[in-house]
Amino acid sequence: MTAPISDLSAALKAKASIDADDTLAIRRIAWPDGWIDAPEADAIFDLNTSVRDTSREWVDFFVEAISAYVVRQQAPEGYVDDAKAAWLMSRIDSDGKVDSLGELEALVKILEDATNAPETLKIYALKQIEFIVLTGTGPTRDGGSLDAGSISAAEVNLLRRLLFAQASDGPASVSRAEADMLFRIKDATLAGANAPEWQKLFVQAVGNHLMAHSDYRPLARDQAVRLDASMNDTHSDVGGFFSRMSRAGFADGLRAVFAAPEAPEHHDEAVAADRAIAPDERAWLKAKIDADTTLDPLEKELLAFIAEESGTRVAL
């Protein structure tokens, strides 16, 4: 760690608070050129863990800086590598819990900003946000609050951001793991004073899992590395580039992009087929609803939503 940031960190820890002016001073030392090195990232994380009396400006800086360090400062840009993912999880776990104001926001922002991330980080994020939503208390970055035992509007917003983040577990649709999480949160908060937004998110997100069947997956990091190398290879011709693309499995994606548009009747058929609920999905939904003896209000709304969107009732 460089002396200036080390000295300032020690002073801020002694003061036990970080205000807007302190944040500007840290930004000028650690991020004058838009690049944060590993010791500086550690120092920023250490300050966020050690000093609890922080300003909104500090939280904004912390989230922005850590996301930039994890997402953009390795090749190919946008792909979180295993080392950065492991670093992030170890730093969050260093004090035994997720800091609801800064660390959780950074975790969600990283998955929003990244093109793709290791599965370990996606699974970790799901577990952490479920734990925070069910047990966390206190303010959030956007001025809302975390309320243990119920779902606040701020928590709905965090869940929505994570579910539809670019590098989430289901980047173009809600995954099975995400839908399972939503059911667990629903069951744990049925008696809570939940925000009206929660029912809409639960119904539409689980409906999305059942009726929005997307095959889209962002390139894995090793594929992105090969593509990045091909794009920067000035000694290869275009034909050789597309040949390598084909061998790497990318040609089908290119054909899909440049294919002629579907006829309207074929498009309608494709939409209807996409919304059809497969037998294994129907069995999953039945098991979720049959897990207790009652059909709760959110499950009723979910079944009504599916019937309206698919044009058929789900027989359970």
Side-chain angles (χ1 to χ4, degrees), residues 156 159-160 163 197-206:
V156 171
L159 283 166
R160 182 184 296 110
L163 290 171
E197 296 91 340
W198 164 237
Q199 176 173 293
K200 181 178 181 181
L201 176 65
F202 173 81
V203 168
Q204 292 186 349
V206 177

Side-chain angles (χ1 to χ4, degrees), residues 78-94:
Y79 284 80
V80 180
D81 60 25
D82 291 331
K84 287 284 181 67
W87 174 85
L88 177 65
M89 292 184 287
S90 68
R91 292 305 320 225
I92 290 176
D93 288 340
S94 65

